[in-house]
């Protein structure tokens, strides 16, 4: 059988794997065993799976593969952040970032090669879009990173998350996963859902619902579906506190304006009663960082149970935008906190290896005309600069 026709087991959730094994007459517990070999022990050949029957292994070897996308480069930042570039074929490459902290280890993964949303401040958005990633390519990033990091841990080159810290550590190297890499996860819904199910599955990655975060620019109908199917932690990329400005910064706002987005956030929270929405807000000098914006943001925060995460803008060539000075970020954060809004400022990590938020660019063979559209749109409506 040809390699291309084989099933990549990395892309099958528990139910799909059980169905596949069932077609060969295997019991569900065989599927669970296989799942643990693949995701927890990082096996990519079948001979090592000695507790599975020889015939079953033979069948697997004939019809299946366990294959993550090929690694092109791995980089390590001075602060311990690591970034992998994966080849996903036809000239496209995606990026994955691991961020170690005292009390946790967070893996930031990509969901698409490029992105169609084309936000003004995002380098992925400026690259256009090629295609959705398959679940095997989404989970492949986690599978690979976990394997590499655990091997490092075993050879004692990397401290476990939380080692020596006061906060209760999670002994797993990757304790949290955020879908904040390249792409808009909710525009690749089915493959992302399969991937989320694997992240939560006790026979795969066993992460709790609150340790997996989907970040979205606000695809309202898909937020409703996610609430039903798999209500993990939700981050919403707000970036502007009114429709006029958000239309320019996050073009998807023209389709799903703020009132609809906020209503969807509240519907989501109805499915996750003890949760909150994290609103992400990238701080752009003279664009969205004035006191008036803080006042508008406070009014928004009063409508949804939320926390606000201010993100210092990470510049990249062609953006034409600047990071708000840190004193402005501090004052802006203080205004929100004075009004009782829980606010954090994201620490920039890994910027020496271009691994910081919004710097993930990979390689995208654009199949859309987004890049041209952005240039035309910029000439038509330059973003109004305001004074802080
Ligand atoms: N498409 C999804 C998830 C990927 S983007 C979304 O937009 O939510 C992940 C986060 O990085 C978003 O909050 C995004 O706004 C932020 N981001 C994008 N470009 C950035 C930049 N240049 N500097 C800082 N943050 C950026
Ligand atoms: Fe796409 Fe998110 Fe970047 Fe916007 S910020 S272009 S939605 S990846």
């Amino acid at each position: 059988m040809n390699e291309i026709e084989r099933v990549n087991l990395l892309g099958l959730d528990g139910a799909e794997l059980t169905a596949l094994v069932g077609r060969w007459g295997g019991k569900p517990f065989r599927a669970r065993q296989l799942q643990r070999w693949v995701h927890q022990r990082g096996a990519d050949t079948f001979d090592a799976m000695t507790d599975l029957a020889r015939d079953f292994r033979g069948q697997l070897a004939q019809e299946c593969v366990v294959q993550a996308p090929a690694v092109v480069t791995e980089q390590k930042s001075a602060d311990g952040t690591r970034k992998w570039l994966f080849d996903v074929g036809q000239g496209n490459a995606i990026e994955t970032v691991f961020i170690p902290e005292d009390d946790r280890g967070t893996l930031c993964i990509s969901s698409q090669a490029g992105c169609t949303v084309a936000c003004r401040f995002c380098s992925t958005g400026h690259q256009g879009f090629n295609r959705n990633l398959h679940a095997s390519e989404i989970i492949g990033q986690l599978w690979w990173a976990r394997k590499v990091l655990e091997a490092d841990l075993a050879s004692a080159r990397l401290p476990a998350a939380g080692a020596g810290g006061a906060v209760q550590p999670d002994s797993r190297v990757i304790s949290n996963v955020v879908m904040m890499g390249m792409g808009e996860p909710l525009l690749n819904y089915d493959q992302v859902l399969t991937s989320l199910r694997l992240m939560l599955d006790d026979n795969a990655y066993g992460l709790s619902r609150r340790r997996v975060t989907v970040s979205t620019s606000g695809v309202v109908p898909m937020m409703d579906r996610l609430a039903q199917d798999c209500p993990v932690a939700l981050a919403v990329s707000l970036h502007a506190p009114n429709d006029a400005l958000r239309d320019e910064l996050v073009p998807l706002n023209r389709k799903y304006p703020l009132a609809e987005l906020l209503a969807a956030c509240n519907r989501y929270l109805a499915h996750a009663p003890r949760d909150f929405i994290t609103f992400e807000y990238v701080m752009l000098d003279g664009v969205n960082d004035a006191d008036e914006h803080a006042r508008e943001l406070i009014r928004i925060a009063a409508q949804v149970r939320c926390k606000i995460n201010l993100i210092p803008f990470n510049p990249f060539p062609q953006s034409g935008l600047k990071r708000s000075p840190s004193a402005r970020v501090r004052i802006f954060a203080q205004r929100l906190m004075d009004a009782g809004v829980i606010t954090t400022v994201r620490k920039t990590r890994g910027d020496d290896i271009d691994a910081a938020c919004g710097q993930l660019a990979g390689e995208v063979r654009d199949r859309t005309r987004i890049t041209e559209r952005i240039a035309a749109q910029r000439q038509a409506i330059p973003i109004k600069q305001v004074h802080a």
Side-chain angles (χ1 to χ4, degrees):
M1 186 181 282
N2 182 323
E3 188 79 6
I4 298 161
E5 292 164 350
R6 294 188 193 186
V7 180
N8 191 345
L9 297 184
L10 289 181
L12 301 187
D13 66 20
E16 290 164 339
L17 192 62
T18 305
L20 180 76
V21 169
R23 280 205 294 279
W24 300 333
K27 295 266 182 328
F29 83 92
R30 289 282 172 229
R32 289 196 291 273
Q33 265 178 312
L34 178 56
Q35 213 179 2
R36 287 196 293 269
W37 271 110
V38 170
H39 297 286
Q40 297 182 352
R41 300 171 78 165
D44 54 5
T45 56
F46 302 104
D47 333 330
M49 304 180 181
T50 44
D51 54 357
L52 301 181
R54 191 181 292 271
D55 287 356
F56 183 35
R57 279 186 272 153
Q59 185 121 27
L60 286 166
Q62 230 174 38
E63 302 204 19
C64 303
V65 285
V66 178
Q67 200 167 52
V71 176
V72 184
T73 55
E74 182 187 311
Q75 285 172 281
K76 205 165 175 178
S77 155
D79 67 14
T81 301
R82 285 159 86 145
K83 181 172 90 167
W84 293 272
L85 183 72
F86 291 98
D87 182 353
V88 290
Q90 297 175 328
N92 296 293
I94 50 143
E95 294 183 321
T96 307
V97 178
F98 175 68
I99 307 140
E101 288 175 280
D102 282 348
D103 59 338
R104 69 181 85 174
T106 304
L107 192 72
C108 175
I109 64 182
S110 297
S111 55
Q112 298 181 309
C115 185
T116 53
V117 181
C119 299
R120 282 289 284 268
F121 48 82
C122 173
S123 67
T124 304
H126 276 249
Q127 285 189 305
F129 174 76
N130 187 277
R131 69 174 176 86
N132 282 330
L133 297 183
H134 188 267
S136 62
E137 296 165 316
I138 299 173
I139 283 297
Q141 300 166 61
L142 173 56
W143 182 84
W144 178 263
R146 188 180 160 281
K147 205 162 136 129
V148 170
L149 294 167
E150 297 221 324
D152 273 12
L153 183 62
S155 61
R157 275 181 279 138
L158 188 87
V167 188
Q168 188 59 36
D170 186 313
S171 60
R172 282 176 287 199
V173 194
I174 297 172
S175 61
N176 296 60
V177 174
V178 295
M179 303 221 55
M180 292 187 185
M182 296 167 67
E184 168 48 59
L186 296 188
L187 290 178
N188 181 15
Y189 188 80
D190 292 344
Q191 301 301 315
V192 165
L193 181 62
T194 300
S195 309
L196 295 174
R197 287 188 168 136
L198 278 165
M199 290 174 205
L200 304 193
D201 193 326
D202 283 339
N203 292 301
Y205 300 92
L207 295 169
S208 75
R209 195 177 62 74
R210 288 197 180 80
R211 287 181 178 270
V212 174
T213 302
V214 165
S215 177
T216 180
S217 52
V219 190
V220 165
M222 295 300 147
M223 288 166 66
D224 286 328
R225 279 187 63 188
L226 189 65
Q228 300 279 348
D229 294 338
C230 193
V232 292
L234 189 66
V236 171
S237 289
L238 200 62
H239 308 309
N242 60 63
D243 281 320
L245 186 54
R246 197 163 188 271
D247 281 352
E248 290 179 36
L249 293 177
V250 184
L252 192 67
N253 195 68
R254 296 175 202 153
K255 196 161 180 189
Y256 307 114
L258 277 172
E260 285 183 36
L261 179 60
L262 301 182
C265 289
N266 282 325
R267 289 195 298 275
Y268 196 89
L269 289 176
H271 290 264
R274 290 190 295 123
D275 287 15
F276 53 85
I277 302 287
T278 301
F279 284 130
E280 297 163 281
Y281 194 97
V282 65
M283 296 290 289
L284 301 166
D285 186 25
V287 173
N288 65 355
D289 62 351
D291 284 349
E292 177 54 23
H293 298 123
R295 281 191 289 276
E296 289 178 305
L297 198 48
I298 289 165
R299 286 198 287 275
I300 287 182
Q303 299 170 51
V304 178
R305 201 162 64 245
C306 68
K307 293 186 183 175
I308 293 191
N309 190 212
L310 301 177
I311 312 172
F313 171 61
N314 293 309
F316 57 93
Q318 325 98 35
S319 76
L321 297 162
K322 288 201 303 251
R323 176 187 288 191
S324 302
S326 50
R328 177 83 304 250
V329 178
R330 268 200 308 278
I331 294 168
F332 196 90
Q334 197 58 52
R335 298 261 183 280
L336 300 176
M337 288 187 290
D338 288 347
V341 180
I342 302 168
T343 307
T344 49
V345 178
R346 189 176 292 174
K347 266 197 292 196
T348 296
R349 300 285 305 263
D351 51 350
D352 55 335
I353 55 167
D354 283 347
C357 304
Q359 289 182 321
L360 303 188
E363 283 293 324
V364 178
R365 297 279 166 260
D366 189 18
R367 292 202 296 116
T368 65
R369 300 184 61 181
I370 285 171
T371 334
E372 287 164 43
R373 246 181 21 230
I374 292 175
Q377 174 190 320
R378 275 176 145 204
Q379 280 169 353
I381 35 167
I383 290 184
K384 197 169 78 205
Q385 300 279 316
V386 294
H387 283 288

